[in-house]
Amino acid sequence: MEKVELTRKSIEIILQGQSPEGAYIACSNFPTYQYCWFRDGSFCALAMAEYGYIESVKRFLDWTAKVILRFEAKIVTCISKKQNGEDILESEFVHSRFTSTGEEVPGHWGFNQYDGLGLWLWTVCELIDRFPSLGNSDSLTKASELCAHYLAVLWNTACSDCWEEHEDGIHTYTLAAIEAGLIRYSEFTSQSEYRVIASTIDSFIMGHCVADGCFIKSIGMNMPDANLMGLCEPFCLVSWDDPIFQKTLSQIQTKLMTPGLHRYETDSYYGGGEWVLLSEWAGWLYAKHGRITDAEIVRHWAENLASSNGALPEQIAEHLFFPEMYTLWAKKCGKIAEPLLWSHAMYLLLAHEIEEVKANVINRSCFE
Ligand code: BGC
């Protein structure tokens, strides 16, 4: 599918996947993904903002603020239990999946996840700063404050990783998302205490989440995870040429790129295929850091994958790490989720960045 066509289709698919209440539904025809996650939704909001769909972004942010405020009592309980050194029951944490009307989805599902909230906090501050027409509202202000407080107190509590598989760990990407969210929030509100906590998290990452000169997936899992790209983009916690980041990236490329990007070496979900959103994330990172040809290769790769309706899946069953596991998952859950809104969001971010870089090159040469 052509670039312009897939851009148009991706926007259309994200708009269609937005519920009347404002939630971006991860994948409405895949039973376990018929819900909204702050993680997937925030990436959709970032992408839609780049293409000027401010009204859609505003509806999403208002919806998320309502959800956070609805669970204010839970947030307050977790904060006070943590501060008093009491155990927090699994059901007491704020969940990670919500129905379009903002209810928590019942049933066991790696409840306490902080990366989505960290990314959300970062996104709110980033977008309100960059797109003033989004405005701010009392509910968004209050929800951001609650979220920042929750993360600042609970950041070192074991939680589920962003892939919702390792439920009781300390995960580098999660810490990074919290740190980035708190830094951005502290800049946005001029509350320096959040900056102080972010620095503590940073020292923790450097002290516990680096092995052999590379960032690791989680404490006790000394392997790369493709989500570690997030430390550089979008979170800017490390610079592109930071030696630890470069060594991590080169591990990601050698161990996880075939040429699409896998999540991590022992991933067996649907056999452990190539994730479209991660491959696009790599392309986005390349485009931001001068590797425009590599970024375009990824963009073409994604364009070739799109179905005739322009739909992008979550992953493709190519170069599977555990081929025997594919059938098992297909029997259990059916076809791989498609269209996955997050895959479309990352395509848009990648395509937009490539266009920006090209436009800047043209503008520069006009003035030379
Ligand atoms: C992924 C999550 C994602 C969810 C919805 C899960 O399989 O591990 O990261 O938020 O799907 O897309």
Side-chain angles (χ1 to χ4, degrees), residues 32-325:
T32 45
Y33 292 4
Q34 294 169 349
Y35 307 109
C36 183
W37 277 255
F38 277 39
R39 172 187 311 117
D40 302 42
S42 298
F43 278 112
C44 289
L46 286 168
M48 293 301 269
E50 296 296 8
Y51 283 86
Y53 287 81
I54 300 300
E55 196 44 43
S56 163
V57 174
K58 192 171 167 19
R59 288 178 50 229
F60 170 71
L61 294 184
D62 287 346
W63 177 85
T64 49
K66 275 193 204 133
V67 172
I68 291 182
L69 295 178
R70 176 182 193 148
F71 296 108
E72 179 171 1
K74 277 186 125 180
I75 295 179
V76 172
T77 305
C78 289
I79 293 175
S80 91
K81 282 198 156 192
K82 175 79 182 185
Q83 285 173 330
N84 295 331
E86 294 167 44
D87 285 341
I88 306 173
L89 303 175
E90 189 182 69
S91 59
E92 289 176 318
F93 290 105
V94 179
H95 287 199
S96 48
R97 299 188 301 173
F98 301 93
T99 65
S100 58
T101 48
E103 282 112 31
E104 292 181 326
V105 181
H108 179 79
W109 188 278
F111 289 148
N112 60 328
Q113 300 176 25
Y114 308 121
D115 68 287
L117 290 172
L119 170 68
W120 176 81
L121 189 61
W122 184 89
T123 303
V124 169
C125 303
E126 177 77 8
L127 292 184
I128 293 179
D129 249 1
R130 284 185 53 211
F131 302 91
S133 63
L134 258 179
N136 202 347
S137 64
D138 288 350
S139 57
L140 206 47
T141 307
K142 183 142 192 264
S144 314
E145 195 182 321
L146 267 175
C147 178
H149 195 186
Y150 186 65
L151 295 175
V153 174
L154 280 109
W155 69 268
N156 58 0
T157 312
C159 66
S160 170
D161 69 334
C162 89
W163 307 128
E164 313 186 298
E165 292 174 330
H166 302 97
E167 291 188 4
D168 209 12
I170 300 283
H171 317 286
T172 310
Y173 172 78
T174 300
L175 291 172
I178 301 174
E179 181 188 341
L182 293 180
I183 292 177
R184 207 67 193 78
Y185 183 72
S186 133
E187 289 164 354
F188 191 69
T189 60
S190 307
Q191 296 188 66
S192 56
E193 61 272 31
Y194 288 107
R195 183 79 208 200
V196 175
I197 297 164
S199 304
T200 311
I201 302 176
D202 198 72
S203 311
F204 184 91
I205 295 179
M206 296 315 289
H208 301 271
C209 305
V210 177
D212 299 326
C214 290
F215 291 110
I216 54 170
K217 176 174 170 53
S218 309
I219 294 184
M221 289 184 87
N222 287 11
M223 55 170 79
D225 186 312
N227 64 17
L228 293 167
M229 292 184 296
L231 273 71
C232 182
E233 229 36 84
F235 296 141
C236 295
L237 296 176
V238 291
S239 63
W240 165 254
D241 47 19
D242 175 276
I244 305 180
F245 181 70
Q246 275 303 320
K247 200 170 171 198
T248 309
L249 187 61
S250 109
Q251 270 210 358
I252 291 174
Q253 285 163 333
T254 5
K255 298 189 173 174
L256 306 176
M257 232 176 220
T258 62
L261 196 46
H262 299 256
R263 295 193 295 183
Y264 56 96
E265 289 160 276
T266 51
D267 183 12
S268 63
Y269 180 51
Y270 277 93
E274 297 176 335
W275 277 53
V276 178
L277 69 97
L278 286 174
S279 313
E280 294 162 335
W281 195 332
W284 186 37
L285 179 71
Y286 295 154
K288 288 223 175 217
H289 296 282
R291 287 175 56 181
I292 199 74
T293 313
D294 291 330
E296 291 200 289
I297 292 174
V298 181
R299 196 188 67 196
H300 290 309
W301 178 86
E303 285 156 4
N304 284 333
L305 288 179
S307 72
S308 54
N309 301 327
L312 291 171
E314 171 191 73
Q315 56 175 305
I316 54 164
E318 296 278 336
H319 307 104
L320 295 175
F321 282 165
F322 298 91
E324 67 288 358
M325 294 297 287

